Amino acid sequence: MNQKNLFTRSAVAAAMALVSTQVFAAGFQLNEYTAAGLGRSFSGEGAIADSAASGSRNPATMTMFDRPTFSGGAIYVDPDVKLTGNSPVTGRSTDDGNIAPNAWVPNLHFILPLNDQWALGASATSNYGLSTEFENDYPAGPLAGKTDLITENLNLSAAYRLNQHFSFGVGFDAVYAKAKIERNAGELVALQSRGTIPASTTAAHLNGNAWGYGWNAGILYEVDENNRYGFTYRSKVDIDFDGNYRSDLPVVAGGTGGNTVPGSLTLNLPEMWEVSGYNRVAPKWAIHYSLTYTSWSQFQELKATGTNGNTLFQKEEGYHDVYRLALGTTYYYNDQWTFRTGIAYDDSPVPADNRTISIPDQDRLWLSVGSTYAFTPDASVDLGVSYMHGKSVHISEKVADGVPNYQFDAKGTAMLYGVNFNYTF
């Protein structure tokens, strides 16, 4: 295979990874928007209404607050994603001890009751996010490199109480996404060029940002003060993503000679449905549970175009719909202390033959514990800890025509630590 075709494939692979990063992150749609929710594996989120954060999950729950309420905090994500394998070209080890760096996920929430029937709310969270990093001289450079996505979700919502049993809410979402990706030449290019082009050479650098808009709605049914159920819907979000592509490789070899080339695509992030329940089964005990359904079968292909309308790349994805199951319990020890725990299972939407090492998606099991300490009747702090265990997966990725696929085994776990401060005015 000649270098130009290899470099072109590297550029396309990098562009696909940039898009897939955003989609993959939306596929599990970061739940990390409250420490209290973290402590119960986000079970019953659409019905509990124990902090201002509930308004961003189910706006209908805002009618349960009779005073202005604030909650703000962050969740620290400490992942451990490991790869093992060997190069089919040179036999070199492609092991990497930890490809996912640590990250902070902040959140802010506010609920303003207007009267006995109406309430308004606002929140700032992050629904999507991902980061993986490899060394510049990693053997499979076109597949690895650096992949980063940061998003901000700004939400405004309103809720209306129809009677003592039913409340309804609706919200508007504005999602800002910022992404960057880098891919390197890798060992195959270095071998073909006899070292004149080092493996660490930047074969592709992409960056871009975009706004997307959507809406969410919810219903809260209160049987009585101890039993309630929530139903929520979050619309798909169309993000018109504009990006810039640059390669340090010469034009004759398939690069851009350091020049920037624009490109664009539209991402259709799928809709999500959730059913939640909360039952206080004893004076000091409650159980809560959720079933979340994400319509990932709406995402079947990736297609990007250039400024003249030409197709830069097109790739079949074939994602499938997924469920998330969560179950938890809360123990109300006294007026100062509340304790909670939860378990959840996340299903991955990515077919096995579409996994990549920059996005080693896998099914995940959550185990969580948390607590709340009330300093006064109006001020409290939430703490939450979760252990996320990922299923081991095998990844087979193609770098170039006529070259055997690189084979990897991936294993991922993560610890998450959250804290939120709550205040009622």
Side-chain angles (χ1 to χ4, degrees):
M1 178 183 186
N2 63 47
Q3 291 182 8
K4 182 173 182 179
N5 289 337
L6 175 60
F7 293 153
T8 302
R9 177 173 292 279
S10 299
V12 172
M16 287 180 177
L18 176 63
V19 179
S20 299
T21 297
Q22 191 160 359
V23 173
F24 168 77
F28 62 78
Q29 293 197 349
L30 294 179
N31 281 301
E32 289 78 12
Y33 71 103
T34 165
L38 179 69
R40 53 177 171 258
S41 293
F42 301 99
S43 59
E45 289 301 289
I48 291 183
D50 57 355
S51 77
S54 65
S56 64
R57 191 72 166 217
N58 181 2
T61 60
M62 296 190 300
T63 62
M64 296 190 63
F65 295 81
D66 56 9
R67 295 164 59 191
T69 304
F70 164 84
S71 181
I75 292 178
Y76 180 70
V77 183
D78 182 13
D80 182 14
V81 183
K82 298 178 180 179
L83 291 177
T84 58
N86 294 97
S87 166
V89 179
T90 64
R92 289 177 56 192
S93 171
T94 54
D95 294 359
D96 200 310
N98 190 6
I99 66 173
N102 303 345
W104 287 94
V105 184
N107 64 84
L108 291 172
H109 311 271
F110 183 71
I111 293 176
L112 176 65
L114 299 180
N115 51 43
D116 292 340
Q117 289 184 297
W118 287 95
L120 300 177
S123 66
T125 59
S126 179
N127 286 346
Y128 321 126
L130 181 72
S131 180
T132 54
E133 296 183 2
F134 293 80
E135 296 296 327
N136 291 343
D137 60 351
Y138 188 72
L143 307 177
K146 296 179 176 62
T147 307
D148 291 294
L149 173 74
I150 299 174
T151 68
E152 297 176 9
N153 188 101
L154 306 179
N155 175 268
L156 294 175
S157 54
Y160 173 74
R161 177 179 289 279
L162 179 65
N163 52 42
Q164 64 178 344
H165 296 297
F166 283 99
S167 295
F168 303 88
V170 64
F172 168 78
D173 290 300
V175 181
Y176 176 72
K178 184 177 181 180
K180 181 179 74 173
I181 190 166
E182 292 182 356
R183 293 293 181 265
N184 301 307
E187 64 180 5
L188 186 57
V189 173
L191 287 172
Q192 290 184 341
S193 64
R194 299 180 183 275
T196 58
I197 300 177
S200 59
T201 302
T202 301
H205 175 95
L206 297 96
N207 63 79
N209 55 77
W211 282 95
Y213 304 95
W215 60 280
N216 65 303
I219 300 172
L220 181 68
Y221 175 60
E222 299 174 72
V223 179
D224 52 42
E225 64 179 4
N226 294 320
N227 300 278
R228 50 188 177 269
Y229 304 91
F231 175 76
T232 60
Y233 171 79
R234 188 172 296 276
S235 75
K236 73 174 185 177
V237 177
D238 296 333
I239 298 184
D240 296 321
F241 201 88
D242 294 319
N244 296 312
Y245 169 72
R246 174 182 58 80
S247 172
D248 291 340
L249 301 172
V251 176
V252 294
T256 66
N259 296 319
T260 299
V261 178
S264 63
L265 58 87
T266 297
L267 294 181
N268 305 118
L269 306 181
E271 61 192 5
M272 183 179 72
W273 308 76
E274 184 175 41
V275 178
S276 304
Y278 171 87
N279 306 105
R280 192 152 182 170
V281 295
K284 290 183 176 292
W285 286 97
I287 60 171
H288 27 81
Y289 38 88
S290 295
L291 171 63
T292 306
Y293 176 82
T294 305
S295 301
W296 269 112
S297 59
Q298 297 171 350
F299 180 67
Q300 293 298 309
E301 70 170 2
L302 292 173
K303 184 178 181 180
T305 58
T307 54
N308 60 356
N310 61 309
T311 299
L312 298 177
F313 66 84
Q314 187 171 1
K315 181 176 182 288
E316 297 297 323
E317 291 292 346
Y319 278 28
H320 55 80
D321 296 345
V322 294
Y323 292 89
R324 185 181 195 274
L325 300 171
L327 173 66
T329 184
T330 296
Y331 177 59
Y332 301 95
Y333 179 70
N334 56 29
D335 291 340
Q336 283 76 44
W337 284 102
T338 300
F339 301 95
R340 57 184 65 89
T341 187
I343 185 172
Y345 177 77
D346 271 329
D347 187 23
S348 169
V350 183
D353 55 357
N354 286 342
R355 293 192 188 103
T356 69
I357 61 171
S358 63
I359 315 165
D361 196 20
Q362 53 200 258
D363 298 340
R364 293 166 293 274
L365 177 69
W366 294 64
L367 299 172
S368 308
V369 295
S371 65
T372 296
Y373 178 74
F375 303 101
T376 70
D378 299 327
S380 64
V381 62
D382 299 326
L383 300 174
V385 178
S386 285
Y387 169 71
M388 192 167 60
H389 181 83
K391 179 182 177 181
S392 298
V393 295
H394 182 75
I395 301 171
S396 178
E397 280 201 79
K398 183 178 182 178
V399 172
D401 296 332
V403 177
N405 285 13
Y406 281 74
Q407 306 291 332
F408 308 90
D409 290 305
K411 177 71 174 180
T413 62
M415 292 297 302
L416 298 89
Y417 310 91
V419 59
N420 268 70
F421 175 74
N422 312 299
Y423 190 79
T424 300
F425 296 89

